[in-house]
Each structure stands twice: as structure tokens, then as C-alpha cells.
Amino acid sequence: MAAPLQSLLPLEDDSDELRITPLGSGQEVGRSCHLLEFKGKKVLLDFGIHPALSGLSALPFSDHIDPASVDLLLVSHFHLDHAGGLPWFLMRTKFRGRCYMTHPTKAIYKWLLADYIKVSNLSSEQMLYSESDLEASLSRINCVNFHEEREVSGIKFWCYHAGHVLGAAMFMIQIAGVKVLYTGDFSRQEDRHLMMAEIPQIKPDILMIESTYGVSIHEPRESRETRFTKTVKEIVTRGGRCLIPVFALGRAQELLLILDEFWQNHPELHDVPIYYASSLAKKCMSVYQTYTHAMNDKIRSQLALENPFQFKHIANLKGMDHFEDVGPCVIMASPGMMQSGLSRELFEMWCTDPNNGVIIAGYCVEGTLAKDILQEPEDITSLSGQKLPLRCTVEYISFSAHTDFEQTSHFVRTVRPPNVVLVHGEMNEMSRLKSALEREYEDQETPLKVFNPKNLHTLSFHFKGEKMAKMMGELVMEKPKEDQIVSGILVKKNFNCHIVSPDELTKYTQLSSSRISQRMSVAYTAGFPLLHYLLACMFADIEVIPPEQYISDQGDRSDKNEPVPTEVLRIIDTITVLHEPPLIVLEWAANPRNDMYADAVLKLVLKAQELDIPSTKVPALPSKHFDQRHFKECLIELLQEMFGEESVPKIFKGENFALTVNGEKAHIDLNTLSVSSDNAKLCRIVETAVTRLKDTLTPISMKSSSES
């Protein structure tokens, strides 16, 4: 099912193969990015950076795709590992598709990435993008509301609340009827300010779901809040500084709500300051106050009385220049994994004092300082390269708003997808989750298919859907009859097919129709009555048009010197025959059927030129009605040639006679052209001969048999 990168060749537009390729976060956490391909469409899901890496190496493996071929980019939320590479992709590649995220995500994306640029200890050469790139990228980003359906190049999509952080979205993508649900990071547990992730009522064909915590089970919310506040109180009570590394937005707001309430209920702590150390503090809070409709009912009901995000016991700290380190305090500082920035600076200042403490409150990626100190090493290396002893306490109390195994299992069981693709998880955790889910469904009649692809390994699925075209306009004014052939133009837009009348093409599409007129001149010196006679023998519908009427119907003639025809015939309302001595001119509207009729008329023109019979000797024009007598004579001659003269009676009365072949008789009714015989084979042969002779002798007509 999985294939390495070299198999990533372009898919045909009508291929039934759907492919998913992780360009990041495949058996790892960080730089989320996934390529979805189906029916010639390409969708990119997230474009983050890896927190433990820097420069181009932190980006997804986007050099293995052509950004110009991507139709749509959907961003699930504002965290750096999902959106951190977006300015680079939008401004420094050939991507020209559409990019969508929710309104809160776009509002926070701007400030969060601006902060990332400032706190990154990288030279301008190592930076992936500049502030001007970030600013310019905003105009390339479109916003979508939750549950609002959009369509881009035939790709339909809509999003659901994902919990996790403000504005986080799960995207349902539909291409040619096949649905893929991408959860991004999500949480099915409601906290103090965010609602839990929604469960879609629509069953997807493929579920792409995060596996960050694998088979782990989260500590109950009340228990971890109690352990968190108890740990903070212990640190400050012993005279220490409590550092809580967090990202500027997301879990920080949850922890601020917890601490502010705890301080309010414990007057003995009022002298201990709490700082929210982020240059984005005020801007972030304004965003949270703006998008309260995306939060849970508890927050919305509190807002009716007071703003819960206007904290009473928490002060904003813009930077170290505004901080006096004189006693116990609590500081929440970014970034959350302490790779650089203020949280790293404070940690290096305080890690040597055993009275101080660090509380890691979120998920930590392998290779980051936050992950390293959880192993309790004896010392750490500072950004300047100096060895520092690690003497402060380190506690891990996860407030990470990712699903645990119970939430993931319940979500999968409720959504009921036939295929599950695990993303955004370390290799071991992802493998354990894959095995657990497979065991859970192994007794099912149709076992759940679970995949955990590595980066650049492609998953291939096949979906064969029905192809249907809907008739529109005048074609459906009357209900079609059984076995009726409906003729129209098949119009395909994205994955919708319609059949419309050629006359209504401009009404239902942006296409315009045009007509190609053919005109052919042939040298002709024979008499025109001969040509008229030959044409009448082949075609029943011939209209004689006065030359004056023909010229009048042409309107303004561009060539005033063009010769005036002496005779004009209209053949089956399709081919116009003009006699302009010494030429015969044929005019018709080009299409395969008319071209065939024109070829037949041309053949008769050449035959008349070859015969060159004087007009006085040309027979009278044949009757437009079927010549029964002539047919009778020809049929007798045909049967005599087929079966011998003795098989056909030389004299018979009426319109019925019998054909005798080897003692077997076939009775022929010339009125109804029906044949009956005890010998089925003889009957079929004679029926075929009668029918074909009738078709041959009947002049071509565009009218139905009832009209003629």
C-alpha cells in the first residue's frame, strides 16, 4: 500500500487512484505537511516547521513536489509546527493556488510568526523569511467560517471545530465524491475556554488523524490542575522562581485562567507576582476577546458578567529590561520548548538554584531542550556553549490539548471510516496506536485499515465512483421515452457533467458556439436538368429556390462581383447547390453528417459531368413517393439472381408471391414487406434482401417515415 517517493508521478485526471504523501510529520512530530492527490487535483494540508531544526532543514520536504501544481493549501491552526513555514511557501515558491484558514487562525498567525522572527537567534541568511514576507503573505490567505462549504477548482471543503487552540479546524475535503477528513491537532476534552472537537455527521472515506500521544491516557483535568497549582505554590513558597515555558498562544491562555483563579482564592500568594512574558500579550488577548464565539459556553456566559481574560493577578512582561529579579515569582514565557527566546534566557539564569522550578506543561519534540531536561541530566549546555548544572526541579504536567488513546478510539468508532491514516506522532507511539486500533477492530466483518506512513512514503487508495451526466434546459422539457436517443453537448466542469442543447450552450456555460461554412466549386459543363434528375433519384427532399430569394437571404454580400447563380437547389435542407456556369458550387454547414451528404452530392455532380446527356433526353423527375412497381420489378430480378430463375414465379397476381428454394417456401407480402417461412434461415435471408433493396431504392429524406 505504501510506496517510496520515486513512485510519485503525476496522476491522470481520470485515474481512480487517490494518494496521500506525508512531506512532514510522518512518524515524527513537527513540520506537519501532507499532499493529497486525486483526479488531477492536489491539496496540501498544513505547512509547518520542525521546532528542533533551523533554516531550510526545518521545512517539510516540499522540494519533492512542484508548488505550482498545488491547487489548494489548508491550514488547520496557528502553531508553528503547522503554519510556521507558510510565509516561505506562499512568497518564495511558485505556489499560485488558494490558501485557507479560519478567521481566528489568521488573526493570531500574523502576531505569532512575527514573534517567532524576533526571538529566533538566527542570522538573516539562515532565516526562512522576513517580516515583509510575513506581511505580504497575509494577502494570499483567505478565511473560511466553520461549517461553511467552499469550492476551489472542483475541490469542495468545509471545516469543524477541533478544540486544541482557538480557531483550530478539522477539514473535510471532497473530490469527485470521495471524502477525506484531516483532523490536524484536536482534542475531545473541553477545558476552561475551548469547546471539544466536533464529530462530523458525514462519514469520510479516509480519516487522517493525529497520533501525538499514541496509546497514552491523559490525567483527568481536575487532577492535573490540582497538581499544577500545588507544584507552583510549593516552588514560590520555598522562595523560588517558577518558570512555565509556553507558546505565546494556545495553552498559555488556559494556564493563565487557572493561575488567576487560584491566586484569587489564596490571599497568602497575592504578594507573589505572576508575569505573562510575551511581547504579544496585549495583542493576543484582544484576539481572544474578539473571537469568543469560537469558545465554549462557560466562557461566553462569563463574558456576560465580566471579561475572564482581563486578569487581576497577572501582569504583562515585555522583556528582561522590564523585569526585576528580586524574589519569588511565576513567569510564563515563550517559546514552549525553550530553543531560544525569553524562556531559554530565564531558564539559563535560574536552572542552577535548587529553590527554583520548571513546569513543562505541553508536548515536547525530540531534540529540544524541554524534552532533554525531562530526562534529568546533570547539566545542560547554554546557547553560549557554557555547561550549566541542572539543580532546579523539573516537573512534567501535560496540559497539551491533543487527544489521548481513549479520545482517539472513541472518535474513530463514532466517525466509522474504512481507512485511517496516522500522522503527527513519533514512530514508536504511532506504531503502538496502529496496533491498538487494529486489535480493537480485528473481529469486525470488515476490519479497519490503519496506516502509519513515513515522510515521503506514499499511500495509494482506489475509489471507483459512478459517472453521471444530468440533462438540462430544453432537453428535459419532455420526459424521454424508452430507447429514445438524446442528442446534446456533454459539458464537464470539474467533476460535474451536464448534457445541454447546442442552442443553449451559451446559456449554461461560458462557452460560445460558432458555425463553419464549407463552400466547394466544381467545374461543370453538362446540363443542369441532368444533375437535378440524378439528385432527385437519390434524395427525396429537394427544394427549388429562386436565385433572387437566395441572394436576398444572403443579406449584404461582401463580394459585389460574385456571380449570380442561374439555378439553386436545397438538398434535404442541408446542402445548397448553385449553378454558376461554368461551375457548380456546393455550400453547407460543416459537421460529420453534412460532410457525408456533401460527398454524395459531389459524386452525383461528377457523374452528371461524365454522362453529359442533353437536357431534352433527361427523363422526368421521379416521384417523391416510393415507386412500388419499380421496387417489385427490382425485387424479382434480385431474387432470381440469388436463388435462380426457377425459384420465382414468372406470373403472379396481387401483391403476394411465394419463393421456392430446395422445396422450402418463403411467402412475401409486397404491401407490408413481410416474409414468412417454416425455414427460419431462409426467412432471415429473404427478409434481409427485401429490407436492403427497399432502403436502396428509397430516396434519402430528413423527414420521418410518417411524414413522407
Side-chain angles (χ1 to χ4, degrees):
M1 204 69 178
L5 177 68
Q6 52 263 34
S7 68
L8 279 178
L9 300 173
L11 287 173
E12 297 294 332
D13 288 4
D14 58 350
S15 172
D16 294 326
E17 183 183 7
L18 183 149
R19 298 198 304 212
I20 295 175
T21 307
L23 303 179
S25 75
Q27 297 192 7
E28 68 172 358
V29 175
R31 59 179 165 196
S32 283
C33 185
H34 309 279
L35 179 65
L36 170 64
E37 302 172 89
F38 190 47
K39 297 293 184 183
K41 306 296 181 183
K42 293 185 179 181
V43 182
L44 213 54
L45 302 169
D46 285 335
F47 200 89
I49 56 175
H50 199 294
L53 303 173
S54 61
L56 292 173
S57 60
L59 290 171
F61 297 99
S62 58
D63 52 331
H64 292 280
I65 65 169
D66 177 13
S69 68
V70 177
D71 301 285
L72 179 64
L73 169 57
L74 300 175
V75 180
S76 62
H77 63 287
F78 54 73
H79 276 160
L80 294 176
D81 61 329
H82 290 260
L86 202 53
W88 180 87
F89 189 73
L90 294 180
M91 306 312 300
R92 300 201 176 187
T93 71
K94 295 181 179 180
F95 172 69
R96 293 296 177 266
R98 305 287 294 277
C99 175
Y100 281 87
M101 58 178 66
T102 64
H103 289 275
T105 298
K106 183 176 181 180
I108 298 171
Y109 156 87
K110 174 182 178 181
W111 305 118
L112 195 65
L113 268 67
D115 184 61
Y116 164 72
I117 294 172
K118 291 176 183 176
V119 302
S120 297
N121 293 322
L122 297 173
S123 64
S124 57
E125 292 79 16
Q126 290 179 298
M127 286 299 296
L128 293 171
Y129 46 83
S130 63
E131 289 189 33
S132 60
D133 289 329
L134 172 60
E135 193 68 32
S137 72
L138 294 172
S139 63
R140 298 283 307 277
I141 298 172
N142 303 282
C143 290
V144 60
N145 297 316
F146 288 102
H147 310 123
E148 176 191 8
E149 184 178 307
R150 293 290 189 93
E151 183 172 344
V152 173
S153 301
I155 306 165
K156 294 181 180 179
F157 64 95
W158 57 95
C159 60
Y160 303 92
H161 289 281
H164 190 61
V165 293
L166 180 65
M170 300 185 292
F171 282 98
M172 184 77 81
I173 303 107
Q174 178 178 321
I175 305 174
V178 176
K179 302 178 186 68
V180 178
L181 177 62
Y182 174 62
T183 66
D185 293 350
F186 77 111
S187 172
R188 283 287 296 157
Q189 186 178 59
E190 185 173 296
D191 57 25
R192 286 176 175 254
H193 73 293
L194 291 176
M195 64 180 71
M196 69 173 69
E198 297 177 89
I199 294 183
Q201 299 302 307
I202 300 173
K203 179 181 175 180
D205 298 287
I206 300 174
L207 171 63
M208 298 177 64
I209 190 170
E210 69 151 310
S211 54
T212 313
Y213 280 92
V215 294
S216 302
I217 305 296
H218 289 332
E219 183 180 359
R221 196 187 83 179
E222 295 77 8
S223 172
R224 71 185 179 197
E225 285 188 8
T226 301
R227 194 157 64 90
F228 172 70
T229 52
K230 181 183 177 183
T231 304
V232 172
K233 185 178 180 180
E234 286 176 355
I235 294 171
V236 298
T237 302
R238 68 180 181 235
R241 284 83 168 165
C242 179
L243 173 64
I244 308 172
V246 292
F247 291 105
L249 287 163
R251 291 296 84 197
Q253 282 62 43
E254 181 75 4
L255 298 177
L256 290 171
L257 288 168
I258 295 170
L259 286 175
D260 196 56
E261 181 185 284
F262 186 76
W263 247 243
Q264 180 68 23
N265 296 332
H266 292 78
E268 71 275 13
L269 297 175
H270 286 185
D271 292 336
V272 179
I274 303 175
Y275 298 107
Y276 177 29
S278 172
S279 59
L280 300 178
K282 288 186 178 179
K283 295 171 182 174
C284 294
M285 287 300 102
S286 66
V287 172
Y288 269 68
Q289 292 162 16
T290 301
Y291 294 103
T292 53
H293 66 275
M295 301 182 195
N296 58 29
D297 294 336
K298 181 180 178 181
I299 284 290
R300 290 201 291 267
S301 60
Q302 281 183 288
L303 281 169
L305 303 174
E306 60 178 351
N307 190 338
F309 292 108
Q310 290 180 349
F311 304 112
K312 298 175 182 177
H313 302 280
I314 298 168
N316 293 328
L317 183 65
K318 291 185 178 180
M320 292 300 292
D321 296 340
H322 301 82
F323 176 58
E324 293 183 13
D325 190 7
V326 293
C329 64
V330 180
I331 295 186
M332 294 175 60
S334 62
M337 299 186 199
M338 297 192 295
Q339 288 302 92
S340 59
L342 188 56
S343 64
R344 180 62 175 260
E345 189 176 347
L346 289 169
F347 176 78
E348 292 182 1
M349 284 173 53
W350 294 344
C351 69
T352 58
D353 188 341
N355 287 326
N356 298 334
V358 178
I359 299 177
I360 305 298
Y363 184 84
C364 303
V365 173
E366 292 288 343
T368 61
L369 177 62
K371 185 72 172 180
D372 292 342
I373 65 173
L374 291 178
Q375 310 303 319
E376 298 184 357
E378 292 185 0
D379 50 45
I380 60 103
T381 304
S382 69
L383 288 175
S384 62
Q386 180 183 0
K387 290 286 185 180
L388 298 174
L390 181 61
R391 294 181 181 146
C392 67
T393 59
V394 178
E395 293 286 341
Y396 178 63
I397 307 173
S398 176
F399 283 85
S400 181
H402 293 269
T403 57
D404 63 2
F405 176 70
E406 288 182 349
Q407 295 177 36
T408 300
S409 176
H410 176 264
F411 189 84
V412 172
R413 194 181 312 113
T414 309
V415 174
R416 297 176 293 108
N419 304 287
V420 173
V421 178
L422 302 179
V423 297
H424 197 279
E426 299 295 346
M427 180 175 65
N428 292 335
E429 293 293 339
M430 190 182 281
S431 297
R432 292 191 190 102
L433 178 58
K434 179 179 185 292
S435 299
L437 289 174
E438 287 175 337
R439 282 196 303 272
E440 194 171 326
Y441 291 89
E442 63 185 357
D443 296 331
Q444 300 283 333
E445 189 174 320
T446 305
L448 182 70
K449 296 178 182 177
V450 185
F451 309 91
N452 58 338
K454 298 178 182 179
N455 284 336
L456 302 180
H457 278 239
T458 297
L459 293 178
S460 179
F461 304 87
H462 287 84
F463 297 95
K464 184 171 286 188
E466 294 183 355
K467 295 181 179 179
M468 179 177 64
K470 295 182 179 179
M471 293 193 300
M472 299 177 67
E474 64 181 34
L475 294 180
V476 293
M477 295 301 290
E478 295 182 6
K479 185 177 180 180
K481 300 176 182 177
E482 191 71 25
D483 297 328
Q484 178 183 346
I485 297 176
V486 178
S487 177
I489 295 178
L490 180 65
V491 179
K492 182 179 179 182
K493 183 179 181 183
N494 297 321
F495 304 108
N496 297 318
C497 295
H498 297 95
I499 299 176
V500 300
S501 165
D503 297 334
E504 295 183 308
L505 190 64
T506 56
K507 181 178 179 181
Y508 292 104
T509 72
Q510 295 180 337
L511 300 173
S512 58
S513 59
S514 57
R515 174 173 292 185
I516 300 175
S517 295
Q518 295 272 41
R519 183 179 173 90
M520 178 186 294
S521 299
V522 183
Y524 184 77
T525 56
F528 192 75
L530 174 60
L531 177 59
H532 191 171
Y533 173 78
L534 294 178
L535 290 171
C537 290
M538 177 170 282
F539 300 101
D541 301 332
I542 297 181
E543 180 185 2
V544 179
I545 301 175
E548 300 80 11
Q549 180 183 333
Y550 168 80
I551 295 173
S552 175
D553 292 343
Q554 299 303 301
D556 294 334
R557 302 177 69 175
S558 56
D559 187 356
K560 300 297 183 181
N561 297 322
E562 188 175 337
V564 177
T566 56
E567 285 93 9
V568 180
L569 300 178
R570 183 74 171 163
I571 313 296
I572 55 175
D573 202 30
T574 299
I575 312 294
T576 302
V577 179
L578 309 174
H579 188 203
E580 298 176 356
L583 299 174
I584 289 292
V585 178
L586 308 183
E587 294 181 343
W588 72 97
N591 63 48
R593 186 195 66 183
N594 293 354
D595 291 348
M596 178 185 67
Y597 289 145
D599 288 342
V601 172
L602 175 62
K603 181 69 175 177
L604 293 177
V605 172
L606 297 177
K607 187 65 177 177
Q609 176 68 26
E610 178 186 339
L611 294 174
D612 196 14
I613 299 175
S615 299
T616 55
K617 295 184 179 180
V618 174
L621 294 177
S623 171
K624 291 184 179 181
H625 301 287
F626 184 66
D627 191 339
Q628 189 76 10
R629 182 179 176 182
H630 180 57
F631 171 73
K632 185 176 179 180
E633 293 172 353
C634 292
L635 178 60
I636 291 172
E637 289 183 16
L638 174 63
L639 295 176
Q640 286 177 342
E641 287 183 10
M642 291 176 65
F643 302 107
E645 293 186 7
E646 67 282 358
S647 300
V648 183
K650 296 181 180 177
I651 301 173
F652 59 89
K653 294 182 180 180
E655 300 299 322
N656 297 283
F657 69 94
L659 173 71
T660 305
V661 180
N662 297 330
E664 299 285 350
K665 288 194 174 186
H667 298 277
I668 303 171
D669 187 334
L670 294 177
N671 284 325
T672 61
L673 300 183
S674 60
V675 180
S676 60
S677 174
D678 294 335
N679 188 313
K681 184 177 180 180
L682 177 62
C683 186
R684 285 197 304 271
I685 294 173
V686 177
E687 274 184 344
T688 302
V690 172
T691 303
R692 289 187 177 178
L693 180 62
K694 168 74 162 49
D695 292 339
T696 303
L697 296 179
T698 303
I700 298 172
S701 173
M702 297 297 287
K703 298 178 182 179
S704 65
S705 57
S706 60
E707 291 176 319
S708 57

